[in-house]
Amino acid sequence: MLKDEVKNALEVINQGGIILYPTDTIWGLGCDATNTEAIQKIYALKQRAQEKSMIILLDTENKLESYIREVPAIAYDLIEFAENPLTLVMPGAKNISPALIAADGSVGVRVSTHPFCQQLIQRLRKPLVSTSANISGQPSPQNFSQVSDEIINGVDYVVNQDQHDLSIKKPSTIMRLEPDGKFAFIRK
């Protein structure tokens, strides 16, 4: 049941663990976005360079201002009217682990519409780290059946939700958004 999976994942995250979980896009690796030690575990598991930032997930756009110093007004419209999941990379990251903040002070943020993510983030009361569930350089898994054993065995908890959904999922659209409202697509 969804409620039980949220509770189990929350316990693992609160103990500094990392989880493998379904999102509104592809399967992700996640942890508490304020826990640098847990974030380092994800980098190690993915064999990923720390200069390559990971994103954070929120359950509602109302929380953007808690983690971004100056949220451009257009950010709310972009999130509301996006046809596909949208990650906004914005400067002025705050209140998260320095391990998630890029050299230019930015962080990627996505408001997840997935019921598991929304409930987990609400209960966690912090953003959730999200990065594709693959070893760096390998293809991102489009559904759970494509997640490697190395990843499955490397996490502290595998969420038992949507594992049988074999529909092909795509990563989010990524846009860089400046405080003055200027934006550029990083990935369409």
Side-chain angles (χ1 to χ4, degrees), residues 14 39 43 59 75 181 185 188:
N14 282 335
I39 292 163
Y43 274 115
D59 57 329
F185 282 97
K188 284 189 179 184

Side-chain angles (χ1 to χ4, degrees), residues 122-177:
Q122 280 167 7
R123 300 234 358 236
L124 183 61
R125 296 196 173 130
K126 298 176 194 167
L128 184 64
V129 168
S130 189
T131 183
S132 57
N134 61 322
I135 303 295
S136 197
Q138 294 180 356
S140 299
Q142 296 173 308
N143 54 46
F144 182 76
S145 71
Q146 295 179 4
V147 177
S148 74
D149 289 344
E150 192 172 352
I151 293 289
I152 291 171
N153 297 328
V155 298
D156 299 301
Y157 187 70
V158 178
V159 173
N160 188 12
Q161 196 80 28
D162 297 356
Q163 289 185 9
H164 302 293
D165 177 358
L166 297 179
S167 59
I168 300 298
K169 306 278 189 183
K170 292 188 333 203
S172 65
T173 298
I174 303 177
M175 282 173 90
R176 182 163 187 90
L177 185 59

Side-chain angles (χ1 to χ4, degrees), residues 1-7 114-117 119 161:
M1 252 175 74
L2 181 61
K3 195 173 86 181
D4 296 328
E5 287 304 307
V6 168
K7 181 176 162 284
H114 192 283
F116 172 81
C117 294
Q119 288 183 34
Q161 196 80 28

